[in-house]
Amino acid sequence: MLTEERHRLILDLLAQKGVIKLQELVDATGASESTIRRDLTQLETEKKLRRVHGGAALLQQKREELSVSEKSLKYIEEKRRIAVYASSLVQKGNCIYLDAGTTTWEMIPHLAGKEVIVATNGVMHVERLLEHNVTTYLVGGMIKPKTKALIGRGAIESLRQYRFDQCFIGANGVHYDYGYTTPDPEEALVKYTAMQLAQRAYVLADHSKLNESAFAKIADLYEAVLITDELDEEWNDLYRTKTTVEVVAP
């Protein structure tokens, strides 16, 4: 089978399934695993698909954003592992920023008893923080209905009153070339502002966010430590040349 025919077949299968395993492509094309890997690398370079662990997937829409309830159902165990590790980095008495998001939400029970001060733009975070007796400051701004995050000028001005030991940020996409991204430019600016106000910035992203990019850039990879649950061996060196990566294995 010619290269162009393989590429067309790969893209047709992806259009039907959304995600496809490497072995399925080997079986469908009759090509070797190494040949299919080269095909996927070329198609990813041409921005026709994205590589995922063990195969390939369709590119996501740059402005696509799930609601809080939709996000909370995805990769729950992975998010909890990341959250436990991230919480272990917080020292007693620290002042921290918790970004709105489902992974940072999972950090909250592990902050109890650490006598920390938390500032957040996550409306959903407030009740849980108070339940765990965490001193909490909610930034101002406009409430974004889909993610329950406070964004806009009010959020930025409110944030600038504070300085943090650490900030913990969520991202929709983490890409070795495009950095940390999210669908909403206003929310991206809030995240970036918090990173600039912290001595140490961390981005919490499960493996489904890797090699993804959304519409609005938050920051370059080197501007934060990446905490994830899985990093494919193929991309390990690539990401680690750009930033510090902490992989929280099961």
Side-chain angles (χ1 to χ4, degrees):
M1 188 180 290
L2 296 173
T3 301
E4 286 128 357
E5 292 177 302
R6 286 199 312 276
H7 287 189
R8 188 161 56 249
L9 179 57
I10 290 168
L11 294 174
D12 286 345
L13 289 170
L14 268 179
Q16 294 169 28
K17 297 188 173 186
V19 179
I20 193 161
K21 296 291 186 183
L22 188 66
Q23 189 58 50
E24 291 180 77
L25 295 173
V26 169
D27 295 341
T29 62
S32 68
E33 189 173 304
S34 60
T35 297
I36 295 300
R37 287 186 186 277
R38 286 196 298 271
D39 288 340
L40 296 181
T41 298
Q42 183 177 337
L43 290 167
E44 184 178 46
T45 301
E46 295 171 2
K47 297 182 172 55
K48 292 180 179 176
L49 54 74
R50 65 186 175 93
R51 303 288 303 280
V52 296
H53 183 65
L58 290 173
L59 291 171
Q60 292 184 352
Q61 294 296 315
K62 300 300 184 189
R63 292 299 305 275
E64 181 182 19
E65 185 154 27
L66 300 177
S67 67
V68 172
S69 58
E70 290 170 321
K71 288 179 181 179
S72 66
L73 299 175
K74 290 178 173 286
Y75 304 104
I76 297 170
E77 291 307 316
E78 291 86 345
K79 290 175 180 177
R80 286 176 178 163
R81 289 205 307 271
I82 292 168
V84 168
Y85 178 79
S87 303
S88 74
L89 303 174
V90 179
Q91 302 299 310
K92 187 173 182 178
N94 277 175
C95 300
I96 68 172
Y97 177 79
L98 281 190
D99 189 28
T102 51
T103 307
T104 51
W105 190 81
E106 293 288 354
M107 289 178 63
I108 294 171
H110 307 288
L111 299 177
K114 290 198 171 189
E115 299 176 17
V116 296
I117 295 175
V118 171
T120 184
N121 72 325
V123 174
M124 298 287 288
H125 289 6
V126 174
E127 186 174 356
R128 200 175 206 200
L129 284 161
L130 296 179
E131 284 174 358
H132 288 87
N133 299 312
V134 177
T135 301
T136 302
Y137 289 81
L138 184 65
V139 305
M142 181 189 80
I143 300 174
K144 186 176 172 183
K146 202 160 194 180
T147 62
K148 304 298 187 292
L150 287 151
I151 60 172
R153 180 177 175 180
I156 298 295
E157 290 183 353
S158 179
L159 260 180
R160 285 178 177 154
Q161 299 177 62
Y162 309 119
R163 297 294 182 272
F164 308 110
D165 295 302
Q166 299 150 310
C167 71
F168 298 90
I169 304 294
N172 295 66
V174 180
H175 194 280
Y176 47 84
D177 283 332
Y178 311 134
Y180 306 111
T181 54
T182 196
D184 186 335
E186 286 201 67
E187 194 160 359
L189 185 56
V190 174
K191 293 173 188 284
Y192 180 72
T193 301
M195 289 170 66
Q196 297 304 298
L197 296 169
Q199 290 183 19
R200 190 76 159 159
Y202 299 90
V203 169
L204 314 185
D206 66 72
H207 67 273
S208 70
K209 313 291 177 58
L210 301 183
N211 294 347
E212 287 288 353
S213 63
F215 177 64
K217 183 173 180 176
I218 301 167
D220 289 313
L221 282 187
Y222 74 86
E223 295 182 86
V225 173
L226 172 62
I227 305 177
T228 189
D229 63 290
E230 183 180 311
L231 184 59
D232 195 282
E233 188 178 316
E234 193 174 342
W235 300 317
N236 186 60
D237 291 342
L238 192 57
Y239 276 89
R240 291 183 188 278
T241 59
K242 303 269 183 159
T243 192
T244 301
V245 182
E246 301 292 348
V247 179
V248 187

PDB file of all heavy atoms in Angstrom, residues 219-244:
ATOM      1  N   ALA A 219       0.705  30.013  28.901  1.00  0.00           N
ATOM      2  CA  ALA A 219       2.131  30.257  29.146  1.00  0.00           C
ATOM      3  C   ALA A 219       2.949  29.208  28.401  1.00  0.00           C
ATOM      4  O   ALA A 219       2.409  28.207  27.907  1.00  0.00           O
ATOM      5  CB  ALA A 219       2.423  30.178  30.647  1.00  0.00           C
ATOM      6  N   ASP A 220       4.248  29.442  28.324  1.00  0.00           N
ATOM      7  CA  ASP A 220       5.150  28.435  27.759  1.00  0.00           C
ATOM      8  C   ASP A 220       5.366  27.314  28.775  1.00  0.00           C
ATOM      9  O   ASP A 220       5.187  27.506  29.984  1.00  0.00           O
ATOM     10  CB  ASP A 220       6.496  29.074  27.417  1.00  0.00           C
ATOM     11  CG  ASP A 220       6.412  30.004  26.210  1.00  0.00           C
ATOM     12  OD1 ASP A 220       5.824  29.596  25.200  1.00  0.00           O
ATOM     13  OD2 ASP A 220       6.932  31.140  26.301  1.00  0.00           O
ATOM     14  N   LEU A 221       5.786  26.166  28.290  1.00  0.00           N
ATOM     15  CA  LEU A 221       5.985  25.015  29.175  1.00  0.00           C
ATOM     16  C   LEU A 221       6.942  25.311  30.317  1.00  0.00           C
ATOM     17  O   LEU A 221       6.716  24.901  31.458  1.00  0.00           O
ATOM     18  CB  LEU A 221       6.499  23.807  28.388  1.00  0.00           C
ATOM     19  CG  LEU A 221       5.497  22.995  27.559  1.00  0.00           C
ATOM     20  CD1 LEU A 221       6.183  21.756  27.008  1.00  0.00           C
ATOM     21  CD2 LEU A 221       4.277  22.601  28.367  1.00  0.00           C
ATOM     22  N   TYR A 222       8.023  26.021  30.038  1.00  0.00           N
ATOM     23  CA  TYR A 222       9.055  26.234  31.058  1.00  0.00           C
ATOM     24  C   TYR A 222       8.572  27.102  32.217  1.00  0.00           C
ATOM     25  O   TYR A 222       9.206  27.151  33.276  1.00  0.00           O
ATOM     26  CB  TYR A 222      10.303  26.872  30.434  1.00  0.00           C
ATOM     27  CG  TYR A 222      10.161  28.336  30.082  1.00  0.00           C
ATOM     28  CD1 TYR A 222      10.405  29.331  31.030  1.00  0.00           C
ATOM     29  CD2 TYR A 222       9.780  28.735  28.807  1.00  0.00           C
ATOM     30  CE1 TYR A 222      10.274  30.680  30.725  1.00  0.00           C
ATOM     31  CE2 TYR A 222       9.649  30.075  28.485  1.00  0.00           C
ATOM     32  CZ  TYR A 222       9.889  31.037  29.443  1.00  0.00           C
ATOM     33  OH  TYR A 222       9.749  32.364  29.123  1.00  0.00           O
ATOM     34  N   GLU A 223       7.432  27.767  32.049  1.00  0.00           N
ATOM     35  CA  GLU A 223       6.955  28.685  33.083  1.00  0.00           C
ATOM     36  C   GLU A 223       6.242  27.988  34.235  1.00  0.00           C
ATOM     37  O   GLU A 223       5.833  28.641  35.197  1.00  0.00           O
ATOM     38  CB  GLU A 223       6.055  29.751  32.454  1.00  0.00           C
ATOM     39  CG  GLU A 223       6.817  30.651  31.489  1.00  0.00           C
ATOM     40  CD  GLU A 223       5.967  31.741  30.889  1.00  0.00           C
ATOM     41  OE1 GLU A 223       5.833  32.810  31.527  1.00  0.00           O
ATOM     42  OE2 GLU A 223       5.422  31.536  29.781  1.00  0.00           O
ATOM     43  N   ALA A 224       6.085  26.673  34.153  1.00  0.00           N
ATOM     44  CA  ALA A 224       5.452  25.936  35.251  1.00  0.00           C
ATOM     45  C   ALA A 224       5.956  24.500  35.257  1.00  0.00           C
ATOM     46  O   ALA A 224       6.361  23.970  34.220  1.00  0.00           O
ATOM     47  CB  ALA A 224       3.927  25.945  35.103  1.00  0.00           C
ATOM     48  N   VAL A 225       5.927  23.898  36.424  1.00  0.00           N
ATOM     49  CA  VAL A 225       6.188  22.469  36.540  1.00  0.00           C
ATOM     50  C   VAL A 225       4.919  21.730  36.113  1.00  0.00           C
ATOM     51  O   VAL A 225       3.817  22.085  36.538  1.00  0.00           O
ATOM     52  CB  VAL A 225       6.543  22.093  37.995  1.00  0.00           C
ATOM     53  CG1 VAL A 225       6.654  20.581  38.160  1.00  0.00           C
ATOM     54  CG2 VAL A 225       7.832  22.784  38.416  1.00  0.00           C
ATOM     55  N   LEU A 226       5.063  20.739  35.279  1.00  0.00           N
ATOM     56  CA  LEU A 226       3.922  19.943  34.831  1.00  0.00           C
ATOM     57  C   LEU A 226       3.766  18.718  35.723  1.00  0.00           C
ATOM     58  O   LEU A 226       4.716  17.952  35.900  1.00  0.00           O
ATOM     59  CB  LEU A 226       4.124  19.509  33.376  1.00  0.00           C
ATOM     60  CG  LEU A 226       3.114  18.504  32.818  1.00  0.00           C
ATOM     61  CD1 LEU A 226       1.703  19.086  32.816  1.00  0.00           C
ATOM     62  CD2 LEU A 226       3.526  18.076  31.405  1.00  0.00           C
ATOM     63  N   ILE A 227       2.570  18.540  36.276  1.00  0.00           N
ATOM     64  CA  ILE A 227       2.253  17.332  37.038  1.00  0.00           C
ATOM     65  C   ILE A 227       1.188  16.565  36.270  1.00  0.00           C
ATOM     66  O   ILE A 227       0.094  17.089  36.016  1.00  0.00           O
ATOM     67  CB  ILE A 227       1.749  17.663  38.459  1.00  0.00           C
ATOM     68  CG1 ILE A 227       2.762  18.547  39.210  1.00  0.00           C
ATOM     69  CG2 ILE A 227       1.489  16.383  39.239  1.00  0.00           C
ATOM     70  CD1 ILE A 227       2.289  18.971  40.595  1.00  0.00           C
ATOM     71  N   THR A 228       1.499  15.342  35.894  1.00  0.00           N
ATOM     72  CA  THR A 228       0.578  14.517  35.128  1.00  0.00           C
ATOM     73  C   THR A 228       0.599  13.091  35.662  1.00  0.00           C
ATOM     74  O   THR A 228       1.386  12.757  36.553  1.00  0.00           O
ATOM     75  CB  THR A 228       0.919  14.569  33.625  1.00  0.00           C
ATOM     76  OG1 THR A 228      -0.116  13.917  32.876  1.00  0.00           O
ATOM     77  CG2 THR A 228       2.264  13.912  33.329  1.00  0.00           C
ATOM     78  N   ASP A 229      -0.260  12.242  35.112  1.00  0.00           N
ATOM     79  CA  ASP A 229      -0.340  10.866  35.601  1.00  0.00           C
ATOM     80  C   ASP A 229       0.371   9.877  34.685  1.00  0.00           C
ATOM     81  O   ASP A 229       0.618   8.739  35.082  1.00  0.00           O
ATOM     82  CB  ASP A 229      -1.811  10.445  35.747  1.00  0.00           C
ATOM     83  CG  ASP A 229      -2.538  10.444  34.420  1.00  0.00           C
ATOM     84  OD1 ASP A 229      -2.782  11.535  33.880  1.00  0.00           O
ATOM     85  OD2 ASP A 229      -2.863   9.360  33.907  1.00  0.00           O
ATOM     86  N   GLU A 230       0.695  10.296  33.463  1.00  0.00           N
ATOM     87  CA  GLU A 230       1.299   9.365  32.515  1.00  0.00           C
ATOM     88  C   GLU A 230       1.995  10.158  31.417  1.00  0.00           C
ATOM     89  O   GLU A 230       1.448  11.143  30.915  1.00  0.00           O
ATOM     90  CB  GLU A 230       0.209   8.479  31.908  1.00  0.00           C
ATOM     91  CG  GLU A 230       0.706   7.414  30.966  1.00  0.00           C
ATOM     92  CD  GLU A 230      -0.458   6.592  30.415  1.00  0.00           C
ATOM     93  OE1 GLU A 230      -1.310   6.135  31.211  1.00  0.00           O
ATOM     94  OE2 GLU A 230      -0.511   6.426  29.188  1.00  0.00           O
ATOM     95  N   LEU A 231       3.185   9.748  31.060  1.00  0.00           N
ATOM     96  CA  LEU A 231       3.914  10.390  29.973  1.00  0.00           C
ATOM     97  C   LEU A 231       4.503   9.305  29.086  1.00  0.00           C
ATOM     98  O   LEU A 231       5.352   8.530  29.531  1.00  0.00           O
ATOM     99  CB  LEU A 231       5.017  11.304  30.518  1.00  0.00           C
ATOM    100  CG  LEU A 231       5.810  12.112  29.495  1.00  0.00           C
ATOM    101  CD1 LEU A 231       4.902  13.031  28.684  1.00  0.00           C
ATOM    102  CD2 LEU A 231       6.905  12.931  30.174  1.00  0.00           C
ATOM    103  N   ASP A 232       4.004   9.243  27.864  1.00  0.00           N
ATOM    104  CA  ASP A 232       4.457   8.213  26.937  1.00  0.00           C
ATOM    105  C   ASP A 232       5.973   8.275  26.761  1.00  0.00           C
ATOM    106  O   ASP A 232       6.559   9.357  26.676  1.00  0.00           O
ATOM    107  CB  ASP A 232       3.760   8.418  25.583  1.00  0.00           C
ATOM    108  CG  ASP A 232       3.895   7.206  24.694  1.00  0.00           C
ATOM    109  OD1 ASP A 232       4.980   7.030  24.103  1.00  0.00           O
ATOM    110  OD2 ASP A 232       2.931   6.446  24.595  1.00  0.00           O
ATOM    111  N   GLU A 233       6.578   7.108  26.728  1.00  0.00           N
ATOM    112  CA  GLU A 233       8.035   7.014  26.590  1.00  0.00           C
ATOM    113  C   GLU A 233       8.556   7.778  25.379  1.00  0.00           C
ATOM    114  O   GLU A 233       9.625   8.389  25.409  1.00  0.00           O
ATOM    115  CB  GLU A 233       8.418   5.529  26.472  1.00  0.00           C
ATOM    116  CG  GLU A 233       9.901   5.259  26.503  1.00  0.00           C
ATOM    117  CD  GLU A 233      10.181   3.761  26.439  1.00  0.00           C
ATOM    118  OE1 GLU A 233       9.492   2.997  27.147  1.00  0.00           O
ATOM    119  OE2 GLU A 233      11.083   3.381  25.680  1.00  0.00           O
ATOM    120  N   GLU A 234       7.756   7.781  24.320  1.00  0.00           N
ATOM    121  CA  GLU A 234       8.140   8.445  23.081  1.00  0.00           C
ATOM    122  C   GLU A 234       8.297   9.957  23.258  1.00  0.00           C
ATOM    123  O   GLU A 234       9.070  10.610  22.572  1.00  0.00           O
ATOM    124  CB  GLU A 234       7.069   8.156  22.024  1.00  0.00           C
ATOM    125  CG  GLU A 234       7.450   8.508  20.613  1.00  0.00           C
ATOM    126  CD  GLU A 234       6.398   8.051  19.623  1.00  0.00           C
ATOM    127  OE1 GLU A 234       5.569   7.194  19.978  1.00  0.00           O
ATOM    128  OE2 GLU A 234       6.414   8.568  18.506  1.00  0.00           O
ATOM    129  N   TRP A 235       7.500  10.531  24.184  1.00  0.00           N
ATOM    130  CA  TRP A 235       7.514  11.985  24.384  1.00  0.00           C
ATOM    131  C   TRP A 235       8.274  12.416  25.628  1.00  0.00           C
ATOM    132  O   TRP A 235       8.394  13.607  25.903  1.00  0.00           O
ATOM    133  CB  TRP A 235       6.073  12.505  24.490  1.00  0.00           C
ATOM    134  CG  TRP A 235       5.258  12.219  23.282  1.00  0.00           C
ATOM    135  CD1 TRP A 235       5.646  12.344  21.978  1.00  0.00           C
ATOM    136  CD2 TRP A 235       3.911  11.739  23.260  1.00  0.00           C
ATOM    137  NE1 TRP A 235       4.616  11.980  21.151  1.00  0.00           N
ATOM    138  CE2 TRP A 235       3.533  11.598  21.905  1.00  0.00           C
ATOM    139  CE3 TRP A 235       2.981  11.420  24.248  1.00  0.00           C
ATOM    140  CZ2 TRP A 235       2.282  11.162  21.513  1.00  0.00           C
ATOM    141  CZ3 TRP A 235       1.726  10.984  23.856  1.00  0.00           C
ATOM    142  CH2 TRP A 235       1.389  10.857  22.507  1.00  0.00           C
ATOM    143  N   ASN A 236       8.749  11.466  26.403  1.00  0.00           N
ATOM    144  CA  ASN A 236       9.374  11.762  27.684  1.00  0.00           C
ATOM    145  C   ASN A 236      10.500  12.787  27.562  1.00  0.00           C
ATOM    146  O   ASN A 236      10.487  13.831  28.233  1.00  0.00           O
ATOM    147  CB  ASN A 236       9.892  10.466  28.312  1.00  0.00           C
ATOM    148  CG  ASN A 236      10.415  10.679  29.712  1.00  0.00           C
ATOM    149  OD1 ASN A 236       9.688  11.104  30.602  1.00  0.00           O
ATOM    150  ND2 ASN A 236      11.679  10.396  29.903  1.00  0.00           N
ATOM    151  N   ASP A 237      11.466  12.502  26.712  1.00  0.00           N
ATOM    152  CA  ASP A 237      12.612  13.414  26.563  1.00  0.00           C
ATOM    153  C   ASP A 237      12.189  14.768  26.012  1.00  0.00           C
ATOM    154  O   ASP A 237      12.712  15.810  26.425  1.00  0.00           O
ATOM    155  CB  ASP A 237      13.668  12.792  25.650  1.00  0.00           C
ATOM    156  CG  ASP A 237      14.351  11.582  26.286  1.00  0.00           C
ATOM    157  OD1 ASP A 237      14.250  11.449  27.519  1.00  0.00           O
ATOM    158  OD2 ASP A 237      14.958  10.786  25.556  1.00  0.00           O
ATOM    159  N   LEU A 238      11.228  14.737  25.084  1.00  0.00           N
ATOM    160  CA  LEU A 238      10.771  15.977  24.454  1.00  0.00           C
ATOM    161  C   LEU A 238      10.204  16.952  25.477  1.00  0.00           C
ATOM    162  O   LEU A 238      10.549  18.131  25.503  1.00  0.00           O
ATOM    163  CB  LEU A 238       9.717  15.635  23.397  1.00  0.00           C
ATOM    164  CG  LEU A 238       9.301  16.732  22.428  1.00  0.00           C
ATOM    165  CD1 LEU A 238      10.498  17.293  21.675  1.00  0.00           C
ATOM    166  CD2 LEU A 238       8.274  16.193  21.446  1.00  0.00           C
ATOM    167  N   TYR A 239       9.342  16.460  26.348  1.00  0.00           N
ATOM    168  CA  TYR A 239       8.746  17.330  27.366  1.00  0.00           C
ATOM    169  C   TYR A 239       9.759  17.738  28.422  1.00  0.00           C
ATOM    170  O   TYR A 239       9.752  18.876  28.894  1.00  0.00           O
ATOM    171  CB  TYR A 239       7.545  16.641  28.019  1.00  0.00           C
ATOM    172  CG  TYR A 239       6.262  16.801  27.229  1.00  0.00           C
ATOM    173  CD1 TYR A 239       5.914  15.888  26.248  1.00  0.00           C
ATOM    174  CD2 TYR A 239       5.425  17.885  27.438  1.00  0.00           C
ATOM    175  CE1 TYR A 239       4.746  16.038  25.500  1.00  0.00           C
ATOM    176  CE2 TYR A 239       4.260  18.050  26.709  1.00  0.00           C
ATOM    177  CZ  TYR A 239       3.925  17.117  25.740  1.00  0.00           C
ATOM    178  OH  TYR A 239       2.780  17.280  25.001  1.00  0.00           O
ATOM    179  N   ARG A 240      10.632  16.813  28.792  1.00  0.00           N
ATOM    180  CA  ARG A 240      11.576  17.106  29.874  1.00  0.00           C
ATOM    181  C   ARG A 240      12.683  18.063  29.443  1.00  0.00           C
ATOM    182  O   ARG A 240      13.349  18.643  30.302  1.00  0.00           O
ATOM    183  CB  ARG A 240      12.158  15.798  30.422  1.00  0.00           C
ATOM    184  CG  ARG A 240      11.121  14.968  31.184  1.00  0.00           C
ATOM    185  CD  ARG A 240      11.727  13.716  31.795  1.00  0.00           C
ATOM    186  NE  ARG A 240      10.725  12.833  32.353  1.00  0.00           N
ATOM    187  CZ  ARG A 240      10.168  12.969  33.561  1.00  0.00           C
ATOM    188  NH1 ARG A 240      10.542  13.971  34.340  1.00  0.00           N
ATOM    189  NH2 ARG A 240       9.263  12.112  33.980  1.00  0.00           N
ATOM    190  N   THR A 241      12.893  18.244  28.153  1.00  0.00           N
ATOM    191  CA  THR A 241      13.838  19.279  27.715  1.00  0.00           C
ATOM    192  C   THR A 241      13.224  20.670  27.819  1.00  0.00           C
ATOM    193  O   THR A 241      13.939  21.662  27.802  1.00  0.00           O
ATOM    194  CB  THR A 241      14.280  19.052  26.251  1.00  0.00           C
ATOM    195  OG1 THR A 241      13.131  19.065  25.404  1.00  0.00           O
ATOM    196  CG2 THR A 241      15.036  17.745  26.101  1.00  0.00           C
ATOM    197  N   LYS A 242      11.890  20.726  27.947  1.00  0.00           N
ATOM    198  CA  LYS A 242      11.189  22.019  27.992  1.00  0.00           C
ATOM    199  C   LYS A 242      10.889  22.470  29.411  1.00  0.00           C
ATOM    200  O   LYS A 242      10.836  23.662  29.688  1.00  0.00           O
ATOM    201  CB  LYS A 242       9.877  21.923  27.214  1.00  0.00           C
ATOM    202  CG  LYS A 242      10.015  21.502  25.767  1.00  0.00           C
ATOM    203  CD  LYS A 242      10.176  22.695  24.858  1.00  0.00           C
ATOM    204  CE  LYS A 242      10.234  22.261  23.406  1.00  0.00           C
ATOM    205  NZ  LYS A 242       9.901  23.335  22.480  1.00  0.00           N
ATOM    206  N   THR A 243      10.621  21.503  30.311  1.00  0.00           N
ATOM    207  CA  THR A 243      10.247  21.870  31.675  1.00  0.00           C
ATOM    208  C   THR A 243      10.454  20.684  32.612  1.00  0.00           C
ATOM    209  O   THR A 243      10.772  19.578  32.177  1.00  0.00           O
ATOM    210  CB  THR A 243       8.770  22.332  31.744  1.00  0.00           C
ATOM    211  OG1 THR A 243       8.527  22.935  33.007  1.00  0.00           O
ATOM    212  CG2 THR A 243       7.792  21.179  31.533  1.00  0.00           C
ATOM    213  N   THR A 244      10.227  20.926  33.907  1.00  0.00           N
ATOM    214  CA  THR A 244      10.250  19.841  34.884  1.00  0.00           C
ATOM    215  C   THR A 244       8.904  19.124  34.826  1.00  0.00           C
ATOM    216  O   THR A 244       7.855  19.769  34.845  1.00  0.00           O
ATOM    217  CB  THR A 244      10.480  20.391  36.301  1.00  0.00           C
ATOM    218  OG1 THR A 244      11.721  21.089  36.346  1.00  0.00           O
ATOM    219  CG2 THR A 244      10.479  19.270  37.334  1.00  0.00           C
TER     220      THR A 244
END
